[in-house]
Amino acid sequence: MTTSTGHPTPSDDAESVFERAYRLIETELGGRRLPPEPRTWLDDLARTRRYKTALITAVWNTCFPSGVVEACRVVEAVYPYLDPDGLCTDAALTAAWNVLEPDAHTWPEQLQDERRRFTSKCLDRALAEANTAVTDHA
């Protein structure tokens, strides 16, 4: 019969049950944790698809495109210009603006400025909505 003695450690309320179980396994059985499984290109593809789908839905709901096809075109135009945190850049706004308002160059400058600010707010709201949707379902 094998016995083991455990030395009580002060309880750490921040430690989860999962962490405690791992610590016990490491201590009692001499085990070690397995590293997390490496990410594959398929994981990245699935995450990108999930994000683009959420962004298309958000653009459709907030940016007032003429249809779902135009919402898809906006997302495809904007996506490469997003910053690493998924936030809007000036290049992304310009890409969205070119899809949503293709004839804006014929408008008076004041109207262009107003509509561009409106598009910027709509795009920021759509990106925030998509980022939240992806984070909630991750």
Side-chain angles (χ1 to χ4, degrees):
M1 181 166 143
T2 305
T3 61
S4 63
T5 57
H7 299 288
T9 58
S11 175
D12 183 8
D13 291 334
E15 187 178 45
S16 70
V17 174
F18 185 72
E19 289 294 321
R20 274 186 245 147
Y22 258 131
R23 188 171 37 79
L24 284 173
I25 289 170
E26 288 172 340
T27 304
E28 298 293 327
L29 303 176
R32 61 184 171 86
R33 293 184 189 205
L34 294 174
E37 194 171 322
R39 295 178 55 120
T40 65
W41 64 272
L42 232 95
D43 295 334
D44 291 335
L45 179 64
R47 189 175 70 240
T48 300
R49 272 197 169 150
R50 233 182 359 262
Y51 182 74
K52 282 187 174 182
T53 301
L55 187 54
I56 289 168
T57 302
V59 166
W60 170 251
N61 290 332
T62 61
C63 293
F64 310 108
S66 63
V68 176
V69 172
E70 189 173 64
C72 291
R73 287 180 52 224
V74 168
V75 170
E76 288 301 317
V78 165
Y79 190 77
Y81 300 109
L82 297 178
D83 74 359
D85 296 322
L87 301 176
C88 190
T89 62
D90 193 48
L93 175 60
T94 300
W97 176 252
N98 290 336
V99 173
L100 292 170
E101 306 291 355
D103 61 342
H105 64 279
T106 62
W107 301 348
E109 192 172 324
Q110 182 180 0
L111 181 59
Q112 286 183 34
D113 291 342
E114 289 173 13
R115 292 293 296 174
R116 190 171 169 95
R117 279 193 302 274
F118 177 75
T119 301
S120 176
K121 289 177 186 175
C122 291
L123 189 57
D124 285 339
R125 201 168 39 241
L127 287 166
E129 187 178 312
N131 288 336
T132 302
V134 171
T135 302
D136 289 346
H137 293 102

